[in-house]
Amino acid sequence: MGSSSSSRNKIPNAQELMRQTGFSSAHLLRLHDRFESLDRDNRGYLSPDDFEALGGLAMNPIGGRIIEAFFSSGIPWTFPPLSGFWLISVQLTETETKKEHSKSSPAAGPGSSNLYDLDRDGKISREELLQVLRAMLGLQVTEEQLQSIAERAIQEADLDKDDAISFDEFKKSLEKMDIDTKMSVSFLK
Amino acid sequence: LSATTCAGSGCLPVFLEGSVFTVAVASSDQHSPITAHSGSHKATDHGSHNNTGKAFPVLDLNYENVRVPFEISLWVLLASLMKLGFHLVPHLSNIVPESCLLIVVGLLVGGIIRGTGETVPPVLDSKLFFYILLPPIILDAGYFLPIRPFMENLGTILIFAVVGTLWNAFFVGGLLYGVCQIGTESSSILSRIGLLQCLLFGSIISAVDPVAVLAVFEEIHINELLHILVFGESLLNDAVTVVLYHLFEEFSGIGSVTLLKGFLGVISFFVVALGGVLVGVLYGILAAFTSRFTSHTRVIEPLFVFLYSYMAYLSAEIFHLSGIMALIACGAVMRPYVEANISHKSHTTIKYFLKMWSSVSETLIFIFLGVATVAGPHDWNWTFVTVTVILCLVARVIGVVGLTFIINKFRIVKLTTKDQFIIAYGGLRGAIAFSLGFLLNKEHFPEREIFLTAIITVIFFTVFVQGMTIKPLVELLAVKKKQEAKRSINEEIHTQFLDHLLTGIEDICGHYGHHHWKDKLNRFNKKYVKKCLIAGERSKEPQLIAFYHKMEMKQAIQLVESGGGIKMPSAVPSTVSMQNIQPRPSTKPAPERAIPQLSKNKEEEIRKILRTNLQRTRQRLRSYNRHTLVADPYEDGLSDLFLKKQKMFQIEKKLKEMNTYLTVPAPPPDSPTMCRARLASDPQAYSIKPASNKVPMIQVDLASPQSPDSVNLLDEFGQANQQEEEEQGLMMKPPSRPREAKKPSEEDEAKDQQRLMRCLSDPGPSADEDEDGAFLP
């Protein structure tokens, strides 16, 4: 008990955070350790280059987007927001449907940014889709194939024929997929 | 019909590819030696009727020769006809699951055989069951195993399979022993059943049976999660069953249990399970590797799949490893690579052969179960049987509830009470338990008959009672049903995207979880494994592209099958007589089919083509008008038709290019994708049918005078023209005319046709060449 209380002292507002996010103190401690290891210059908050140093993210085709999504909201990433973010990080792409959730944790992460929708117009246009595909599929496919896939994807989802996928259409096309169960990351105890 | 089939009396089943398997009689005690009568049916009783002026037998009867294959075929035929019959009777298959009906049929057949005084053949011989009837079902399950949900829930499945089965076995066995000792008098037969025998019995009866689960769950269409949980459990508990079975059999033979042996038992579990998987993976890789080179012998591709899988099963059985796990591992491992290598037809062949075999096997198993019930031998003991049934149920429920409680702490998506109920209720026992019991040695197990009776009762109970009531229960509890999963490309894209996203998040959190390892595995797969096992260019093809190709293929086939839409002329020589053009099939195209709309891009392109061509031809035609075309009041119409012909040519060319967008990736033409995409070398077959009216439908059916299609052209053209405001110069015809006259009288068409024929059948040579030259881009 001694160690945990001292560790709780390390984290400011530990109780508050625990209440807000629902994490246990062990969880919180673990996240805090991670935070400290990420924050290499000990600035107290995270910046993009901290993330870029992560090898895994570098290899990840959408790593850049994730980083961007993190920092586009303008929230300084000290620990409390980060823990809050981790709680709702799974809701990144369904922000509109989960507005309730993001409201409940005010230290929310990139609330309205969208990993697909880079220009934030609320729709995923063909260009944006192409970019995503390009990122994921890399150099292995020709431009033609990418085009045709993107076209097909839009064809399937685009119900109002505006040549872009709005959030509702997006949701609808994925409703079969049972996204809630898939978009979850489990943390070890 | 002599009743002793070969199955029971020491024959060696030899598995042969093909629909009918022959069984070699090892110990033939037939009265007449079966010499090679190759077709001639001479009378076989030698000696007695030698040269006594016996007439040459024109028609002779020799049943003995064909008896074995004949009877086997009869059984299979019976099974198939039954299956057919069930679906013909309305409503029957909704109420009663097929497995119940089949068991009843088996009972009837057994009863009939017994009624006629013959001894009922012991058809469900264990060798027959384990080496012939079971593998197709398991292979079918393993090959088409949905890998993603299986892997995602692997932890849960394993816990249910291993811990759950162990719990069941010990609970049932132990309590049964207790009941036997306490509940009955010491002289009764029950009290003589030792603890080990009881435990053995418990281990036999506790295993959830994949055949029964498949048969019942297939009809109730529950959601994927529950299906994969129960089904996965039934597959993986084979390892536990095998180990327990051999362990207790060994122990009750020897009679002494030591701690060392117990420890060895635990180790042997891991050996059995992992060894089985390893054997399966090895054979799977071999199969994948072999399929890389089959591009010249496409016909026997399915054979490799079946053979390697069966070899995996048998090899595992040699070492007493878990054959079922080997088979599953083999099928699951080889599938992605084999499918990338083999032709489309082979893929279809494999799919249908597997489904056919597994279906027949399943039917036969249930029928034989019924027959075996009639055959006996039975020893009905009320106490034993009822206690067994009750204990099985109770053990299952407690096991599932208890395990779920533990499992839910680790799961993200918790299992609700409803789920637990379905999982517990879905724990059906089936023919595997019976066959294992049948295998018991009578000397070591004098109580074998009691066991068998109890096993059969439990099987009947679970299959009939639970099988019949699970469907209404599912409805009652409003359990989530299976979604009609037509995976769209959006889902695929987003699934992959999500994978990357979650991997990224895990990286940030520093948590090496599920996604991290999956990502690593994928990278390894892409970098090394695919290069070895997939032939040619396909090895570099990312999954998304492969998926996309599959979808395009499916749609292309759908288009062809629906028979509607445009049939482009394959090669339009310019001297075209209209006879070249294929008549549109007489069936009206069903506009409601799920045919993709042409995307805006393509619509644009088509319109562009039309526009440019029309302009050009229009100009040309003006100069040729007087010479080549007969002047007639329908001049406009004719020139339209003319233009259309040319435009068709253009479009066909353009579409050929566009075909490349749709189905042909950049890589060289030998990859199976391309061959598949060529659709039996019939370029006509790739029709593009726009579902909307926006795109002009190019139906060229001018050859048949009666067809109304020629006018449709005008219609569509008119419509297309209307939409193109830019086309000021294109007053090819008064737009009003086609719009109103959707289907003018036949007479008009006929006239059009004749005129066209006339004009085109007598073109000046120069005109022809010029036409040709003019309209080639």
Side-chain angles (χ1 to χ4, degrees), chain A residues 2-89:
Chain A
S3 63
S4 61
S5 58
S6 70
S7 62
R8 249 182 269 146
N9 293 337
K10 247 198 316 181
I11 309 172
N13 311 325
Q15 293 286 14
E16 169 95 10
L17 275 178
M18 272 165 59
R19 193 179 44 81
Q20 246 182 18
T21 60
F23 287 154
S24 71
S25 67
H27 260 141
L28 219 52
L29 186 60
R30 212 169 154 261
L31 292 179
H32 185 79
D33 285 341
R34 182 68 185 168
F35 174 79
E36 301 219 310
S37 68
L38 283 180
D39 184 16
R40 287 175 311 155
D41 339 347
N42 274 323
R43 277 176 280 187
Y45 60 91
L46 295 177
S47 61
D49 37 302
D50 287 330
F51 280 95
E52 275 156 21
L54 285 174
L57 269 189
M59 276 207 302
N60 197 322
I62 59 170
R65 286 174 182 248
I66 299 180
I67 299 180
E68 212 181 283
F70 250 92
F71 292 103
S72 56
S73 55
I75 298 177
W77 286 108
T78 56
F79 185 61
L82 196 60
S83 61
F85 168 73
W86 268 321
L87 177 68
I88 65 142
S89 62

Side-chain angles (χ1 to χ4, degrees), chain A residues 119-139:
Chain A
D119 56 3
R120 315 273 183 75
D121 60 355
K123 287 179 186 294
I124 307 173
S125 73
R126 183 174 306 196
E127 247 322 294
E128 289 166 345
L129 198 55
L130 265 178
Q131 277 176 29
V132 171
L133 285 174
R134 219 173 272 136
M136 285 206 293
L137 297 175
L139 305 161

Side-chain angles (χ1 to χ4, degrees), chain B residues 181-196:
Chain B
Q181 292 302 100
I182 304 173
T184 63
E185 323 88 49
S186 54
S187 60
S188 119
I189 188 170
L190 285 186
S191 55
R192 268 178 271 139
I193 306 179
L195 176 64
L196 284 171

Side-chain angles (χ1 to χ4, degrees), chain B residues 411-651:
Chain B
R411 275 182 71 94
I412 304 163
V413 180
K414 316 275 184 206
L415 295 173
T416 66
T417 324
K418 259 195 251 173
D419 294 337
Q420 291 174 40
F421 177 74
I422 296 289
I423 296 177
Y425 209 66
L428 305 172
R429 295 355 184 230
I432 290 188
F434 180 79
S435 306
L436 283 175
F438 205 78
L439 267 179
L440 287 175
N441 202 329
K442 182 83 181 172
E443 291 107 51
H444 292 168
F445 297 93
E447 53 278 332
R448 178 172 171 261
E449 269 119 42
I450 306 181
F451 285 176
L452 277 180
T453 316
I455 293 175
I456 288 194
T457 316
V458 173
I459 295 179
F460 271 45
F461 183 81
T462 55
V463 171
F464 278 93
V465 174
Q466 287 177 243
M468 274 205 268
T469 53
I470 199 168
K471 193 158 185 185
L473 275 174
V474 162
E475 305 277 338
L476 196 68
L477 293 175
V479 178
K480 251 186 353 177
K481 294 265 194 133
K482 175 159 79 166
Q483 318 248 351
E484 269 325 302
K486 271 248 161 145
R487 235 169 125 85
S488 71
I489 193 142
N490 270 310
E491 290 180 8
E492 185 72 21
I493 294 179
H494 297 313
T495 314
Q496 281 211 7
F497 188 84
L498 213 57
D499 275 344
H500 287 305
L501 177 63
L502 291 173
T503 313
I505 293 183
E506 279 187 2
D507 273 331
I508 296 177
C509 302
H511 165 74
Y512 288 138
H514 189 68
H515 290 94
H516 179 88
W517 293 115
K518 195 153 69 158
D519 194 53
K520 268 208 149 94
L521 184 66
N522 275 337
R523 277 186 213 280
F524 174 71
N525 190 15
K526 214 188 314 191
K527 218 165 148 204
Y528 300 111
V529 182
K530 271 191 178 168
K531 291 224 171 73
C532 298
L533 297 180
I534 300 185
E537 288 298 322
R538 301 268 336 251
S539 58
K540 303 208 197 77
E541 197 175 60
Q543 187 198 346
L544 198 57
I545 300 284
F547 179 79
Y548 178 68
H549 284 316
K550 251 199 250 179
M551 289 198 66
E552 289 290 313
M553 258 300 281
K554 272 199 210 130
Q555 275 187 347
I557 293 181
Q558 261 180 342
L559 277 170
V560 173
E561 284 178 355
S562 71
I566 306 166
K567 281 246 194 291
M568 299 302 292
S570 48
V572 184
S574 69
T575 53
V576 132
S577 38
M578 294 304 173
Q579 291 98 5
N580 259 355
I581 301 167
Q582 300 271 332
R584 194 161 72 97
S586 51
T587 58
K588 289 226 179 310
E592 312 317 310
R593 307 245 182 178
I595 300 166
Q597 295 198 18
L598 275 189
S599 70
K600 285 212 159 51
N601 230 4
K602 294 197 194 85
E603 284 177 27
E604 259 319 302
E605 289 212 52
I606 290 180
R607 289 205 196 117
K608 219 171 19 154
I609 300 165
L610 296 181
R611 229 178 307 144
T612 50
N613 286 340
L614 290 173
Q615 277 174 336
R616 260 191 281 152
T617 62
R618 191 66 199 168
Q619 288 150 20
R620 290 300 150 119
L621 265 182
R622 284 222 187 87
S623 55
Y624 288 132
N625 247 353
R626 308 260 143 57
H627 304 293
T628 54
L629 298 179
V630 175
D632 59 59
Y634 296 90
E635 177 187 4
D636 279 326
L638 273 178
S639 59
D640 286 334
L641 295 170
F642 221 37
L643 293 168
K644 272 153 223 151
K645 184 198 72 159
Q646 305 306 335
K647 175 202 67 186
M648 239 166 40
F649 189 48
Q650 289 301 319
I651 299 232

Side-chain angles (χ1 to χ4, degrees), chain B residues 244-276:
Chain B
L244 282 180
Y245 184 80
H246 284 132
L247 206 62
F248 289 132
E249 205 189 2
E250 179 94 5
F251 284 173
S252 29
I254 300 179
S256 70
V257 188
T258 66
L259 198 60
L260 178 66
K261 290 221 186 99
F263 185 63
L264 284 179
V266 172
I267 298 204
S268 91
F269 165 70
F270 286 106
V271 169
V272 162
L274 294 175

Side-chain angles (χ1 to χ4, degrees), chain B residues 354-430:
Chain B
L354 280 180
K355 297 283 175 205
M356 180 184 80
W357 266 326
S358 67
S359 178
V360 167
S361 273
E362 195 182 292
T363 317
L364 273 178
I365 287 179
F366 282 115
I367 291 188
F368 284 173
L369 210 52
V371 174
T373 312
V374 175
H378 286 304
D379 189 354
W380 180 270
N381 187 311
W382 274 103
T383 329
F384 195 78
V385 170
T386 44
V387 169
T388 309
V389 173
I390 297 177
L391 280 182
C392 279
L393 287 174
V394 168
R396 176 85 183 153
V397 170
I398 298 180
V400 167
V401 170
L403 285 176
T404 319
F405 178 71
I406 302 177
I407 290 174
N408 269 344
K409 299 206 199 253
F410 296 97
R411 275 182 71 94
I412 304 163
V413 180
K414 316 275 184 206
L415 295 173
T416 66
T417 324
K418 259 195 251 173
D419 294 337
Q420 291 174 40
F421 177 74
I422 296 289
I423 296 177
Y425 209 66
L428 305 172
R429 295 355 184 230

